């Protein structure tokens, strides 16, 4: 649950795998009235290599190579 409001939000998550948590969090912030300004993760597993939410891509501190096909 998030209280309605306004302002800028920087979303930070520990791991990006499929992007589900990041998308849900960003959507929740936007619906509550906040402006999502950036998406950041500590570790990107590259399971969703071209992940984007609206026009935002994710910045990662550590990126693992994409899994072999």
């Amino acid at each position: 649950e998030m209280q309605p409001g306004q302002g800028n939000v920087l979303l930070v998550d520990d791991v990006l795998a499929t992007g589900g948590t990041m998308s849900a969090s960003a959507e929740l912030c936007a619906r509550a009235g906040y402006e999502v300004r950036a998406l950041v993760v500590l570790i990107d597993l590259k399971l969703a290599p071209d992940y984007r939410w609206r026009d935002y891509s994710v910045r990662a501190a550590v990126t693992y190579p994409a899994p072999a096909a």
Side-chain angles (χ1 to χ4, degrees), residues 1-6 9 28-29 31-34:
E1 183 176 329
M2 178 177 264
Q3 297 297 319
Q6 60 185 17
V9 173
L28 180 64
C29 290
R31 288 182 184 184
Y34 297 93

Side-chain angles (χ1 to χ4, degrees), residues 40-52:
V40 178
V41 294
L42 299 177
I43 301 170
D44 185 353
L45 299 177
K46 286 297 183 190
L47 297 178
D50 295 323
Y51 173 79
R52 296 181 72 76

Side-chain angles (χ1 to χ4, degrees), residues 1-36:
E1 183 176 329
M2 178 177 264
Q3 297 297 319
Q6 60 185 17
N8 297 318
V9 173
L10 164 68
L11 283 177
V12 180
D13 200 358
D14 55 354
V15 176
L16 179 71
T18 63
T21 301
M22 185 66 76
S23 293
S25 300
E27 199 60 42
L28 180 64
C29 290
R31 288 182 184 184
Y34 297 93
E35 176 83 25
V36 177

